[in-house]
Amino acid sequence: MASFRELLARTKAEIREVDTAGAAEAMTRPGMVMLDVREPDEYEQGALPGAVHIPRGHLESKIETHVLDRATPITIYCASGVRSAFAAKTLQELGYTDVASMAGGFNRWKDEGRAWSAPQTLSGEQRNRYHRHLLLPEVGEKGQQKLLESKVLLLGAGGLGSPAALYLAAAGVGTVGIIDMDVVDESNLQRQILHNVDRVGERKVDSAKKTLTALNPDVNVVTYDVRLGADNILDIIDGYDVIVDGTDNFPTRYLVNDASLLKRIPVVHGSIFRFEGQATVFAPYEGPCYRCMIPEPPPAEMAPSCAEAGVLGVLPGIVGSIQAMEAIKLLLDLGDPLIGRLLAYDAMEESFRTFKVNRDPECPACGENAGEIVIAEYDDLCMPH
Ligand SMILES: [Zn+2]
């Protein structure tokens, strides 16, 4: 019976070893595979750039899903060059013809100051937290990683912003920006579920940040306690992947529309009135914009704000949740987003209907002959000034 040393020596005699310089040289060849056979916790600490990771224990069963062509040049490494030597012998036995083990392993590679990086992988805690997402092939680890790297800006931490923010944060959207200049009032609590009795009098953005951070510490909550205006909107929305619009007035919606067209950021629109709600997605130059759908604001007396009209508290919960769903679909490129479709919800009938919304070729903002977009402040009559 052979001792471990004898077995290792015999194995090394049957495989090809390269030093770190040889491995670095091999990496420059197109089509080669750098294979990391360490355990997941070792891999998470850092790996060679572009390495394929298959833990030693899964090598035989998983190699074919990563490397089908047995003539592919493969350089294998582990921490020190022992496990990779045995792995090289295994791959040879499986018929792979161009296999080498990197002597000294990742430790020597790192000691020599060669390039390595910490791969973006989910931690054990994250795997647990997002398990129900990972079970969906349409999301999976890659999709979850994408959500964690995504940035969504919420306009308003009120009725629509509350459920949207809660679900986006729970889903692991890595950066959630919130703009709101109000303070929490007792009359908000009937529907604005980000806030609570202890927060009355507090700035809404601060209250929102506390709630969302307590729900999911993975989320970086960025707050803007300002009034959204022509002077700041382009700076604020810059860098966000999706805007969730929970504002309740026409001047702001036109402002958001024009700025989002300029920056080419999709807007998930939501609105509510008494027992009815609407949601749609404005994808710049792909579908209609807000001005295509509503070229002119209705007269003020026809469009009372939430404060004047009243609203059943659950309604924004439903519409804001739909907005969160649409935002996540856009981030993950899933299914059919509400681009060019207006979803109308009637709570009394308990019905959903969708209406087609077309792009207006004459649209002053996104039409073919539209002039240069000027970001202007709009008054209550939506006239620029
Ligand atoms: Zn338009």
Side-chain angles (χ1 to χ4, degrees), residues 2-311:
S3 69
F4 167 69
R5 280 177 173 282
E6 288 162 353
L7 187 64
L8 179 61
R10 207 188 299 160
T11 302
K12 284 199 173 182
E14 290 172 25
I15 60 152
R16 186 163 63 86
E17 271 195 310
V18 290
D19 59 13
T20 48
E25 202 272 320
M27 275 173 81
T28 62
R29 280 180 234 152
M32 77 82 64
V33 170
M34 184 59 77
L35 179 62
D36 186 324
V37 293
R38 296 173 301 159
E39 295 304 305
D41 59 323
E42 298 175 277
Y43 175 74
E44 280 162 23
Q45 302 291 313
L48 266 61
V52 170
H53 179 226
I54 308 176
R56 175 72 189 88
H58 298 289
L59 185 61
E60 294 86 342
S61 60
K62 292 262 177 80
I63 185 68
E64 282 179 356
T65 58
H66 292 276
V67 188
L68 198 57
D69 181 0
R70 282 169 159 70
T72 307
I74 303 173
T75 301
I76 311 173
Y77 72 92
C78 58
S80 66
V82 173
R83 281 172 288 175
S84 61
F86 289 114
K89 181 153 186 281
T90 301
L91 289 193
Q92 285 179 7
E93 286 165 358
L94 285 169
Y96 290 86
T97 55
D98 190 354
V99 182
S101 164
M102 184 172 87
F106 183 66
N107 293 341
R108 187 178 297 164
W109 179 277
K110 209 169 147 182
D111 289 346
E112 289 172 356
R114 297 180 187 275
W116 62 280
S117 56
Q120 290 294 324
T121 54
L122 300 179
S123 66
E125 250 171 63
Q126 288 175 324
R127 260 193 206 97
N128 198 21
R129 169 179 271 273
Y130 305 116
H131 188 235
R132 297 298 196 281
H133 277 171
L134 304 186
L135 289 174
L136 296 167
E138 293 84 352
V139 181
E141 182 144 351
K142 223 173 143 195
Q144 188 61 53
Q145 198 64 57
K146 194 155 185 221
L147 288 179
L148 288 162
E149 289 160 11
S150 296
K151 300 173 83 177
V152 175
L153 177 65
L154 294 152
L155 308 181
L160 295 169
S162 283
L166 282 164
Y167 273 116
L168 291 170
V173 170
T175 303
V176 173
I178 302 183
I179 176 162
D180 202 307
M181 59 174 296
D182 280 346
V183 293
V184 180
D185 183 86
E186 254 177 347
S187 69
N188 300 149
L189 303 180
Q190 161 256 23
R191 65 197 179 285
Q192 301 183 12
I193 56 175
L194 274 172
H195 317 297
N196 61 45
V197 187
D198 296 338
R199 311 261 176 83
V200 169
E202 208 172 302
R203 303 192 315 169
K204 278 190 183 174
V205 286
D206 294 339
S207 168
K209 185 168 182 153
K210 281 182 197 165
T211 303
L212 298 173
T213 308
L215 173 64
N216 189 350
D218 279 349
V219 180
N220 174 30
V221 182
V222 182
T223 59
Y224 307 88
D225 183 20
V226 292
R227 184 186 162 276
L228 196 61
D231 55 327
N232 60 17
I233 187 163
L234 290 176
D235 287 336
I236 290 177
I237 69 173
D238 190 44
Y240 281 97
D241 301 305
V242 175
I243 295 169
V244 172
D245 185 0
T247 58
D248 60 358
N249 63 83
F250 290 95
T252 310
R253 286 182 193 150
Y254 284 119
L255 179 71
V256 170
N257 183 68
D258 297 351
S260 66
L261 281 171
L262 208 60
K263 292 275 182 184
R264 295 183 181 257
I265 304 171
V267 176
V268 183
H269 167 87
S271 67
I272 47 169
F273 180 70
R274 291 168 48 85
F275 299 96
E276 290 166 41
Q278 297 183 336
T280 188
V281 171
F282 301 118
Y285 304 103
E286 190 187 331
C289 78
Y290 187 67
R291 285 184 191 275
C292 293
M293 188 171 86
I294 304 185
E296 276 173 23
E301 66 274 16
M302 296 284 288
S305 78
C306 219
E308 295 153 11
V311 61

Side-chain angles (χ1 to χ4, degrees), residues 275-355:
F275 299 96
E276 290 166 41
Q278 297 183 336
T280 188
V281 171
F282 301 118
Y285 304 103
E286 190 187 331
C289 78
Y290 187 67
R291 285 184 191 275
C292 293
M293 188 171 86
I294 304 185
E296 276 173 23
E301 66 274 16
M302 296 284 288
S305 78
C306 219
E308 295 153 11
V311 61
L312 197 74
V314 193
L315 182 68
I318 292 166
V319 176
S321 299
I322 289 170
Q323 288 180 280
M325 178 64 93
E326 289 300 304
I328 286 175
K329 279 165 63 188
L330 290 172
L331 294 173
L332 297 182
D333 200 10
L334 281 182
D336 298 318
L338 285 170
I339 298 170
R341 289 186 297 147
L342 179 72
L343 179 73
Y345 170 65
D346 184 323
M348 287 302 204
E349 284 181 11
E350 204 61 75
S351 68
F352 287 94
R353 290 192 181 88
T354 49
F355 301 94

